[in-house]
Amino acid sequence: MGDSDRRLDAAALRDWAHTAVGDLITHSEEINQLNVFPVADSDTGTNMLFTLRSALAEANTEAASGAVGRVAAALSSGALHGARGNSGVILSQILRGLADVLTDVPGDGHPEITEVDTALLGAGLRHGVELVITSMGGREVPGTIVSVLQAAAAAVEGCAAQGLPLGPAITAAGDSAAEALDKTTTQLEVLAEAGVVDAGGRGLLVLLDALRSTITGQAPVRPVYSPSPRPRPSEAGTEAPAPQFEVMYLLGECDPDDIEALRERLNQLGESVAIATAGVVGGYSVHVHTDDAGAAVEAGLEFGRPRRIQISSLAGPAGLPPGSWARERAVLAVVDGDGAKSLFDGEGARVLRPDPHSAEPVKMVTAQQLLRAVVDTGAAQVMLLPNGYVAAEELVAGCTAAIGWGIEVVPVPTGSMVQGLSALAVHDPGRPVVDDGYTMARAAGSTRHGSVRVATEQALTWAGSCRPGDGLGIAGDEVLIVARSVGGAAIGLIDLLLAAGGELVTVLIGAGFGAEVIEVLARHVHDQHPGTELATYLTGHRGDALLIGVE
């Protein structure tokens, strides 16, 4: 391994999954457009994304330990539970292949594996090949993701035989997978006719490249794969219609001897049958495309006990199937500071934070980060509270991409976290989404707000001159108050905001400020504004010393 290469330990494996989720977001539409086999339903990239997102969510709950096998097992289990479509089932088996190898520790008292080396990675990929083929009924179809996976496994095994370290082995795996991917077009007639490489194989290459980026710090440049169909004679009316439904479920209490009988029954009902063992979870993951969804579920009942049944329509526009979301509606709030995260979490919102380790006073969120967080809510409808941490162009780009995936995103115009709290307080998931968005926007708009900052240099403002260390009361992007302290500026700003009336003053206190400011403000509001309630929160945000809102 080179001097700059990273060990593939538990932390690195989690980081890989996180990077891979982000890379799948970037490439999912490209992968979807390649999806013509086994069914041209344009969802391979989306299904792989949601499957890996589920895997990452379960891995993140794994208690920190030095055992990479535990993280691998959590990824495998999460992928199985959240598998979407045929490609999701295959991905779960690839992850299970690695998990089985890393958790197969011989003998009692043998120390757990803390790091994946070249030999272990090669063994894990090879075992994944075997599991995927088994899940498909033991039939290997050239020109599919299996061909790409086999090439990657062979490359790593070859590096292991030569005693090469992990970094070069991962690089070789990705390059060999890319070569195998290019060949898939010539191996399957349906791919050749559409002029595409295999969609699942392209998704696997994204995952391998994410692993290379995680370990070596180098992200390879790949071409954009797009359809280039070849002309063919008209065959109107000769193609059989595609099945109407995709049926998936976990099957427990099933005798292993009955699996082939179940597979035969499902093959009679439809196509794209996949039955994968669930490893440490127990039972089997079942997948089929069929016109008779009820019969497919009944087949499971005949041989065991189905649970987590998912039935999605394969008809209609490309994208995410209806009814596939974990929840109907969620609120996503962009916030800064540990205290702010706890505050919005406690009110039921999902939270996206700018980079907490950034050296910049205020770090803004990118469209890519926003899109990932919207997807991670698992909701069909997302009420978005940008709270001043998303630039307009990034907000538009992120929301447009999410809407294109079939997620209904409603950005609520909150320019500060105090406005976000006001909007969140009136959120009602029982209302129609338009009504909910209007009510939240109205609450945010009726909250007059401002901030207090510490002057860093001498300057002339609308409120007079300031010097370093002065407190600046700001509203509407203008300095309206200059005082010799943060508390003094806050008092002046509160008086100004309350001039038009108000019943509640909310103050969010940033990093480096605390009890002294709270005491000063509490005494002032009590003495000068009787009947007005003051609510203060230690949010720990950066940039502004205080954020103040009046309702």
Side-chain angles (χ1 to χ4, degrees):
M1 185 175 294
D3 292 340
S4 62
D5 288 348
R6 182 180 180 185
R7 298 167 58 238
L8 184 51
D9 54 14
L13 190 59
R14 267 189 292 259
D15 287 348
W16 162 76
H18 188 274
T19 299
V21 166
D23 289 352
L24 281 174
I25 287 176
T26 301
H27 292 284
S28 60
E29 188 56 36
E30 174 192 350
I31 297 169
N32 287 342
Q33 291 179 1
L34 303 173
N35 181 198
V36 298
F37 179 84
V39 175
D41 46 7
S42 301
D43 62 359
T44 293
T46 302
N47 287 341
M48 294 184 80
L49 167 62
F50 271 80
T51 300
L52 192 59
R53 188 186 67 84
S54 177
L56 175 60
E58 188 151 337
N60 283 337
T61 64
E62 172 66 29
S65 73
V68 68
R70 295 185 184 183
V71 176
L75 287 170
S76 171
S77 174
L80 181 74
H81 285 141
R84 295 283 190 90
N86 194 50
S87 54
V89 173
I90 292 173
L91 177 54
S92 75
Q93 295 306 286
I94 296 173
L95 292 174
R96 184 192 157 199
L98 184 61
D100 284 354
V101 168
L102 296 179
T103 56
D104 184 17
V105 180
D108 295 336
H110 194 283
E112 290 183 299
I113 297 171
T114 59
E115 178 181 352
V116 181
D117 59 17
T118 304
L120 285 172
L121 180 61
L125 292 176
R126 178 59 60 191
H127 186 42
V129 171
E130 297 166 354
L131 291 172
V132 170
I133 293 175
T134 299
S135 72
M136 299 302 166
R139 296 179 295 105
E140 178 187 346
V141 180
T144 65
I145 187 175
V146 178
S147 301
V148 181
L149 180 60
Q150 284 181 325
V156 177
E157 289 169 335
C159 290
Q162 299 174 54
L164 295 178
L166 187 62
I170 292 173
T171 299
D175 292 344
S176 295
E179 292 179 10
L181 179 64
D182 289 338
K183 295 177 182 177
T184 59
T185 305
T186 64
Q187 293 173 304
L188 270 179
E189 180 66 19
V190 65
L191 299 183
E193 290 178 350
V196 297
V197 296
D198 180 67
R202 176 65 182 114
L204 176 60
L205 182 58
V206 170
L207 303 186
L208 292 171
D209 286 346
L211 183 59
R212 177 175 171 180
S213 175
T214 302
I215 298 303
T216 70
Q218 300 175 348
V221 177
R222 304 293 185 194
V224 176
Y225 295 85
S226 57
S228 179
R230 70 184 187 191
R232 60 175 181 170
S234 174
E235 296 177 356
T238 63
E239 294 183 0
Q244 295 185 58
F245 302 106
E246 177 180 64
V247 180
M248 297 185 68
Y249 50 81
L250 295 180
L251 185 65
E253 301 180 18
C254 178
D255 191 316
D257 294 337
D258 291 333
I259 286 300
E260 290 310 312
L262 172 60
R263 191 188 305 277
E264 182 179 349
R265 174 73 180 120
L266 294 176
N267 278 323
Q268 294 171 354
L269 293 171
E271 57 191 43
S272 298
V273 176
I275 304 177
T277 55
V280 295
V281 179
Y284 299 87
S285 174
V286 179
H287 172 277
V288 63
H289 291 169
T290 179
D291 287 328
D292 195 341
V297 176
E298 289 173 357
L301 286 168
E302 181 180 348
F303 295 101
R305 178 175 294 182
R307 59 190 176 91
R308 298 198 181 192
I309 300 170
Q310 301 177 45
I311 300 175
S312 303
S313 174
L314 291 173
L320 297 175
S324 62
W325 303 97
R327 57 185 60 82
E328 180 65 20
R329 189 180 305 169
V331 176
L332 175 64
V334 187
V335 306
D336 188 37
D338 292 337
K341 179 182 184 302
S342 298
L343 180 60
F344 280 82
D345 270 344
E347 294 299 321
R350 299 293 295 269
V351 168
L352 169 62
R353 297 179 62 182
D355 181 9
H357 305 297
S358 170
E360 300 176 29
V362 179
K363 179 73 172 178
M364 303 294 280
V365 167
T366 67
Q368 194 73 6
Q369 292 169 323
L370 186 62
L371 174 59
R372 182 184 303 180
V374 167
V375 172
D376 282 347
T377 66
Q381 301 168 341
V382 177
M383 318 303 292
L384 176 61
L385 307 177
N387 294 338
Y389 294 113
V390 190
E393 62 273 18
E394 300 292 327
L395 181 66
V396 171
C399 290
T400 300
I403 291 169
W405 282 15
I407 307 173
E408 189 172 1
V409 183
V410 180
V412 181
T414 56
S416 168
M417 288 195 289
V418 289
Q419 285 191 312
L421 286 172
S422 299
L424 187 56
V426 299
H427 165 60
D428 182 357
R431 282 194 295 250
V433 67
V434 172
D435 292 350
D436 196 25
Y438 174 81
T439 304
M440 295 175 73
R442 186 175 181 181
S446 65
T447 301
R448 300 184 297 280
H449 69 98
S451 63
V452 176
R453 297 177 190 167
V454 178
T456 58
E457 60 185 9
Q458 187 169 346
L460 182 63
T461 75
W462 285 105
S465 62
C466 69
R467 61 190 180 187
D470 284 350
L472 307 178
I474 302 170
D477 295 326
E478 296 292 348
V479 176
L480 304 181
I481 304 290
V482 175
R484 295 306 172 218
S485 67
V486 166
I491 286 173
L493 186 58
I494 288 174
D495 290 344
L496 195 62
L497 293 173
L498 282 173
E503 300 175 349
L504 172 65
V505 177
T506 301
V507 181
L508 307 184
I509 301 170
F513 300 88
E516 183 178 345
V517 172
I518 294 174
E519 183 179 348
V520 168
L521 298 185
R523 184 167 56 249
H524 177 76
V525 172
H526 178 270
D527 294 342
Q528 301 300 320
H529 302 283
T532 300
E533 181 182 356
L534 174 68
T536 59
Y537 302 94
L538 296 170
T539 50
H541 60 268
R542 297 163 294 175
D544 295 318
L546 308 176
L547 299 174
I548 301 174
V550 170
E551 302 174 62

